[in-house]
């Protein structure tokens, strides 16, 4: 008899069941083993190994520089820390756009080398062929519409997307297309709440929002933002649940003081 407690894993089917029964989906990013273990053990449904690793782990200004090899490194670390959550991994910039064969090869590497459960790609009709080819290989795909940070140099700004009728209409059409070709879910980033609600009601697959209001089927945040590890980033949609930057800084200051004053280690902390 196994002494290990059986954990029921979250699958893409679980997320669909959640939407169908009105249960909201919780999703957070993680990029390393230790954080993934904490987040998973707290009961999160989906862990996204986001290309936001480029910003919060590597310190780049945009998500563009992160490579497929680096995403695989982060993703394989996360997978080792997860027992329950569905692990979705971003295909990084340059690993899928405009070449469906390359897209499939990139997705296969993520599934094979990292042990991920699904991939996420940014865009709609423009990347249809890439998504279809990945899906044909049996790899689940999550779409990502609205503010798509890999296109930041096209947008020129990180402000709210799809406020104008034409862009809103294209987004609705893209969401319908992603559902039709077989994506299991869609992330909507930074769009008006009314539009996001309309999208969530117009497709049967789960729609997960970030800065997209409360009318969608679930929420995702970057863990470094909601834990307050990032300090300056303060968009309206972000709720901080911790102030880790200050907490960690205070702990380190205390440690420095203790070392300097020889308060650490004490008699009990040595051999
Ligand atoms: O990379 C990321 O963290 C993301 C989320 C913002 C959805 O794509």
């Amino acid at each position: 008899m196994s002494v290990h407690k059986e954990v029921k894993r979250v699958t893409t089917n679980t997320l669909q069941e959640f939407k169908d029964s009105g249960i909201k989906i919780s999703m957070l990013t993680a990029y390393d083993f230790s954080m993934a273990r904490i987040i998973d053990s707290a009961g999160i449904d989906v862990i996204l190994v986001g290309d936001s690793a480029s910003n919060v782990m590597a310190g780049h200004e945009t998500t563009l520089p992160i490579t497929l090899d680096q995403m695989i490194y982060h993703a394989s670390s996360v997978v080792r820390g997860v027992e329950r959550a569905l692990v979705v991994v971003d295909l990084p910039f340059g690993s899928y756009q405009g070449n469906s064969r390359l897209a499939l090869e990139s997705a296969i590497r993520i599934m094979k080398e990292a042990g991920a459960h699904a991939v996420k790609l940014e865009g709609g009709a423009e990347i249809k062929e890439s998504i279809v080819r990945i899906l044909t290989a049996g790899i689940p795909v999550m779409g990502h519409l609205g503010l798509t940070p890999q296109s930041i140099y096209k947008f020129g700004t990180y402000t709210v997307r799809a406020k104008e009728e034409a862009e809103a209409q294209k987004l609705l059409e893209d969401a319908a297309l992603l559902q039709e070709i077989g994506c299991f879910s869609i992330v909507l980033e930074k769009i008006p709440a009314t539009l996001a609600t309309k999208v969530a009601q117009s497709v049967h697959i789960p729609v997960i929002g970030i800065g997209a209001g409360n009318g969608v089927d679930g929420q995702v945040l970057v863990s470094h933002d909601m834990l307050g590890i990032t300090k300056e980033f303060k968009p309206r949609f972000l709720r901080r649940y911790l102030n880790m930057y200050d907490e960690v800084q205070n702990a380190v200051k205390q440690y420095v003081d203790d070392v300097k004053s020889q308060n650490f280690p004490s008699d009990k902390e040595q051999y």
Side-chain angles (χ1 to χ4, degrees):
M1 195 182 82
S2 167
V3 290
H4 294 289
K5 213 169 87 199
E6 276 295 311
V7 178
K8 193 160 183 282
R9 293 210 78 117
V10 176
T11 67
T12 56
N13 292 334
T14 319
L15 302 187
Q16 188 62 57
E17 285 162 18
F18 282 179
K19 170 152 184 163
D20 296 343
S21 50
I23 299 170
K24 298 289 181 186
I25 297 162
S26 60
M27 172 162 151
L28 276 176
T29 63
Y31 318 98
D32 67 273
F33 169 81
S34 302
M35 191 63 92
R37 212 157 80 109
I38 299 173
I39 290 174
D40 183 58
S41 68
I44 205 81
D45 299 316
V46 185
I47 291 188
L48 172 67
V49 184
D51 58 358
S52 48
S54 180
N55 309 109
V56 298
M57 299 301 288
H60 293 296
E61 218 171 280
T62 73
T63 57
L64 275 68
I66 199 160
T67 65
L68 183 59
D69 284 339
Q70 288 165 341
M71 287 303 295
I72 289 170
Y73 167 74
H74 287 297
S76 58
S77 310
V78 165
V79 166
R80 284 191 286 275
V82 170
E83 284 187 357
R84 175 181 174 272
L86 183 81
V87 179
V88 181
V89 180
D90 269 339
L91 282 191
F93 178 68
S95 73
Y96 63 93
Q97 293 96 338
N99 183 338
S100 64
R101 190 194 166 121
L102 174 68
L104 176 61
E105 283 169 7
S106 304
I108 287 178
R109 281 198 63 200
I110 283 182
M111 301 298 283
K112 226 179 171 53
E113 295 176 39
H117 308 142
V119 295
K120 175 164 83 59
L121 284 72
E122 294 182 7
E126 325 77 62
I127 56 158
K128 179 180 167 193
E129 268 181 47
S130 292
I131 295 179
V132 168
R133 200 149 176 185
I134 294 169
L135 286 165
T136 310
I139 300 172
V141 174
M142 179 180 267
H144 183 155
L145 300 172
L147 176 64
T148 47
Q150 291 179 13
S151 308
I152 184 59
Y153 290 112
K154 184 174 105 186
F155 298 146
T157 144
Y158 286 102
T159 51
V160 181
R161 302 301 314 170
K163 279 161 90 177
E164 307 302 329
E165 180 54 30
E167 196 180 338
Q169 189 52 38
K170 159 123 172 64
L171 193 144
L172 277 160
E173 285 164 15
D174 278 341
L177 176 77
L178 292 180
Q179 162 171 274
E180 188 191 313
I181 62 180
C183 289
F184 72 91
S185 173
I186 302 169
V187 164
L188 292 181
E189 181 164 354
K190 225 170 171 187
I191 63 168
T194 45
L195 176 62
T197 304
K198 202 166 162 190
V199 174
Q201 288 171 353
S202 71
V203 295
H204 62 74
I205 56 175
V207 171
I208 300 175
I210 172 165
N214 211 2
V216 288
D217 308 305
Q219 300 294 330
V220 55
L221 285 175
V222 170
S223 52
H224 283 55
D225 297 334
M226 66 82 79
L227 294 173
I229 299 173
T230 49
K231 205 173 165 65
E232 291 82 17
F233 186 61
K234 287 179 184 156
R236 190 203 300 194
F237 68 78
L238 175 63
R239 185 179 295 180
R240 285 204 199 284
Y241 288 82
L242 255 186
N243 209 339
M244 256 179 91
Y245 188 101
D246 293 337
E247 298 269 329
V248 172
Q249 193 185 50
N250 285 337
V252 173
K253 277 183 183 164
Q254 185 64 56
Y255 170 73
V256 172
D257 282 353
D258 287 349
V259 170
K260 301 277 182 199
S261 64
Q262 295 184 44
N263 182 32
F264 175 78
S266 68
D267 289 349
K268 285 188 188 147
E269 291 163 326
Q270 60 193 356
Y271 301 98

